Amino acid sequence: MNWTCVPFAELTVQQLHDVLRLRAEVFVVEQHCVFLEIDGLDPLTWHLLGVGDDGQLLAYTRLIPPGVKAPDALIGRVVTSPAARGGGSGRALMAESVARCEALWPGHAITLHAQAHLERFYASFGFAPSGEPYVEDGIPHIEMRKPLP
C-alpha cells in the first residue's frame, strides 16, 4: 500500500472524490447511517490515504489536530474499502495513523471513537477505553485513548 498524508488544501480533486466516495459507501450505505457525513471538519484536518498499486483508495483516516475538537489528537473516519478487507489493510492503516499522529503532534495523546465491536482491535495499538459506551447513529461506540509513551 502506498501512503499519502496531507492537509486538506493539498488533496487533489481526485483524492477528495475518492475519499468522500469511500466514506459514503461504507458509513452511509453499508452501515445504514443517515447522517451529515461531510461535517465541516475536513478542511481543518490531515488526511491519510492508502492507495493500492492500481491507484484505488483502499484505506483512509482523518487525523484531527489537538485543539480542534478535543485537547488530544483524534483519529477519525477510519475506513477500509470492502475490496481490501481481510488482508491486513485495517491493521496497516491504524499503524500508519498512529505513527503519523505521533510525528505530526509529538507530546499529545491520541483519542478515537471506536465502534464497540472493534475495542480489542484498537487495544492492540495501545488504546484503552476512556469513557462509557454510547450509541451513535444506531451503532454502539466507546471513546478510547492512547496515552503519551
Side-chain angles (χ1 to χ4, degrees), residues 10-84:
E10 293 180 22
L11 286 170
T12 68
V13 173
Q14 185 64 53
Q15 287 172 323
L16 179 59
H17 169 271
D18 294 348
V19 164
L20 296 176
R21 184 177 192 284
L22 179 59
R23 288 176 10 186
E25 175 185 5
V26 173
F27 300 135
V28 178
V29 177
E30 181 182 302
Q31 295 180 357
H32 306 287
C33 295
V34 178
F35 72 110
L36 188 58
E37 204 287 319
I38 301 172
D39 61 1
L41 286 176
D42 288 319
L44 307 174
T45 65
W46 285 69
H47 301 267
L48 177 63
L49 294 81
V51 177
D53 291 335
D54 61 357
Q56 295 297 309
L57 180 62
L58 301 176
Y60 167 84
T61 56
R62 180 167 78 173
L63 309 177
I64 304 174
V68 169
K69 196 170 175 184
D72 295 343
L74 293 171
I75 296 174
R77 298 295 201 265
V78 179
V79 62
T80 303
S81 167

Side-chain angles (χ1 to χ4, degrees), residues 80-96:
T80 303
S81 167
R85 293 182 188 152
S89 295
R91 185 157 290 286
L93 175 63
M94 278 311 300
E96 191 71 19

